[in-house]
Amino acid sequence: ILSPFNFTRRKTGSRDVTFKVAYCGICHSDLHQIRNEWKKSQYPMVPGHEIVGTVLEVGSEVENFSVGDRVGVGCMVWSCQQCDSCSEDLEQYCEKVVWTYNGIYVDGSPTFGGYSSWMVCDQRFVLKIPENLPFDAAAPLLCAGITVYSPMKYFQMTQPGRKLGVVGLGGLGHMAVKFGKAFGLQVTVISTSPKKEKEAREDLGADHFLISKDQKQMQDAAKSLDYIIDTVSADHPLLPLLSLLKVNGRLVLVGMPEKPLCLPSAALVFGRRFVGGSAIGGVKETQEMLDFCGKHNISCMIENIPMDSVNTA
């Protein structure tokens, strides 16, 4: 149960940006961490890694940020800057990466996240929020948005006219639909819930909608998709999804179910299909994603709640 907690942030260092938190998204991973479902939780914990706010102070060596700027911090606050991953702007895969909360910072102190009044962060992990995006609806882009944008770019799911399937229409899923449409793809939403069809088609512009439990619908759509992004974090079978892919089709996992998934080898071999995974994105790519959202006026569908309702939310 989340309850008020007083703690002290470090003073603004020479390379730090200090900002007042305006909004912080509630990510599914916050629930995993609060409940210790990943067996790595450290308490007391201040969750939150979809953080936006206004700069209050910058350090003497900070060049790209000024007081009053609209900024954000996502899932990371530090990495080694020396390994292969860091050298390729893939800080999220650095073995020494420090997460925004439930981590240990380089000075030995615990990291506390965005369910808080203000934030201090190394400038290398601070992002600029485009002026035309609503501040609150931009916050979840820093995790949900980049988590689907990064694999779409890496696995080349950006070719206009190609066909993308999105499994699950939650925080990640609805952003995958929005990015897919912005890239010019034909988008099919794959869901267990018939109630989501209206939202998928009318609010998000999805071209098609499949009920994953409807065997006839799934059979009729066999070998119709070039790519699938699977956002589901609950246990679910992969074979019905792989059957939707064309030859050379790609299925990318961005959700993390608790139990290992069964990978049917025949469905891969007899279709030269590929299964991969992806985690958030590096700082450079996250800024690219934010700029893309600014250009195309893309933000998240949200519900605003006051902090004293956070447990209900």
Side-chain angles (χ1 to χ4, degrees), residues 20-310:
K20 179 177 176 59
V21 177
Y23 299 97
C24 182
I26 295 178
C27 182
H28 197 132
S29 59
D30 297 342
L31 304 182
H32 287 305
Q33 296 279 30
I34 290 167
R35 299 167 181 166
N36 196 25
E37 290 174 348
W38 290 340
K39 311 303 179 187
K40 294 181 180 180
S41 297
Q42 305 170 60
Y43 305 102
M45 180 192 300
V46 178
H49 59 204
E50 300 174 341
I51 316 162
V52 295
T54 306
V55 176
L56 298 173
E57 185 180 21
V58 297
S60 59
E61 296 180 38
V62 173
E63 298 179 352
N64 296 323
F65 300 96
S66 303
V67 172
D69 283 355
R70 288 159 44 104
V71 297
V73 169
C75 302
M76 308 172 287
V77 292
W78 188 87
S79 71
C80 77
Q81 303 294 309
Q82 296 176 344
C83 66
D84 290 345
S85 293
C86 287
S87 67
E88 295 177 14
D89 297 312
L90 297 170
E91 299 94 342
Q92 73 272 33
Y93 300 118
C94 172
E95 292 186 3
K96 297 180 181 180
V97 66
V98 176
W99 303 116
T100 301
Y101 73 91
N102 199 48
I104 301 297
Y105 199 61
V106 286
D107 62 4
S109 64
T111 55
F112 292 134
Y115 293 12
S116 53
S117 303
W118 51 292
M119 189 80 187
V120 181
C121 185
D122 185 302
Q123 64 175 343
R124 293 175 300 184
F125 293 88
V126 179
L127 300 144
K128 291 190 175 182
I129 307 298
E131 291 293 333
N132 65 309
L133 295 182
F135 222 7
D136 51 0
L141 292 173
L142 297 170
C143 180
I146 187 59
T147 296
V148 293
Y149 182 89
S150 182
M152 290 182 81
K153 292 299 294 283
Y154 181 77
F155 292 104
Q156 299 176 329
M157 302 180 181
T158 58
Q159 297 162 284
R162 291 294 181 95
K163 296 180 179 180
L164 168 71
V166 177
V167 186
L169 197 63
L172 278 69
H174 92 280
M175 290 310 305
V177 175
K178 288 192 173 192
F179 287 139
K181 295 305 295 182
F183 286 131
L185 305 176
Q186 291 188 43
V187 180
T188 298
V189 171
I190 304 155
S191 176
T192 59
S193 175
K195 296 178 181 178
K196 293 195 174 183
E197 182 169 5
K198 184 175 184 293
E199 179 181 73
R201 289 183 181 273
E202 296 181 12
D203 297 340
L204 296 168
D207 301 283
H208 306 284
F209 188 89
L210 292 176
I211 304 297
S212 58
K213 294 180 179 179
D214 187 322
Q215 289 189 350
K216 185 177 187 308
Q217 282 192 23
M218 295 293 280
Q219 287 172 359
D220 289 346
K223 298 182 179 179
S224 65
L225 301 176
D226 297 291
Y227 329 111
I228 293 176
I229 290 184
D230 185 345
T231 72
V232 175
S233 58
D235 296 326
H236 61 289
L238 291 186
L239 180 58
L241 302 178
L242 290 168
S243 299
L244 297 174
L245 289 173
K246 299 177 182 179
V247 172
N248 294 327
R250 300 166 186 165
L251 169 65
V252 180
L253 306 171
V254 291
M256 289 197 289
E258 286 188 61
K259 297 178 182 177
L261 294 168
C262 177
L263 195 60
S265 56
L268 302 181
V269 172
F270 294 106
R272 200 162 67 178
R273 300 180 177 106
F274 301 86
V275 176
S278 181
I280 54 170
V283 176
K284 182 179 179 180
E285 188 173 51
T286 305
Q287 187 64 61
E288 175 192 310
M289 180 270 307
L290 288 169
D291 295 341
F292 181 87
C293 288
K295 180 180 178 180
H296 294 274
N297 200 28
I298 294 173
S299 58
C300 303
M301 294 172 65
I302 60 166
E303 178 182 356
N304 262 315
I305 56 107
M307 185 54 81
D308 58 11
S309 299
V310 66

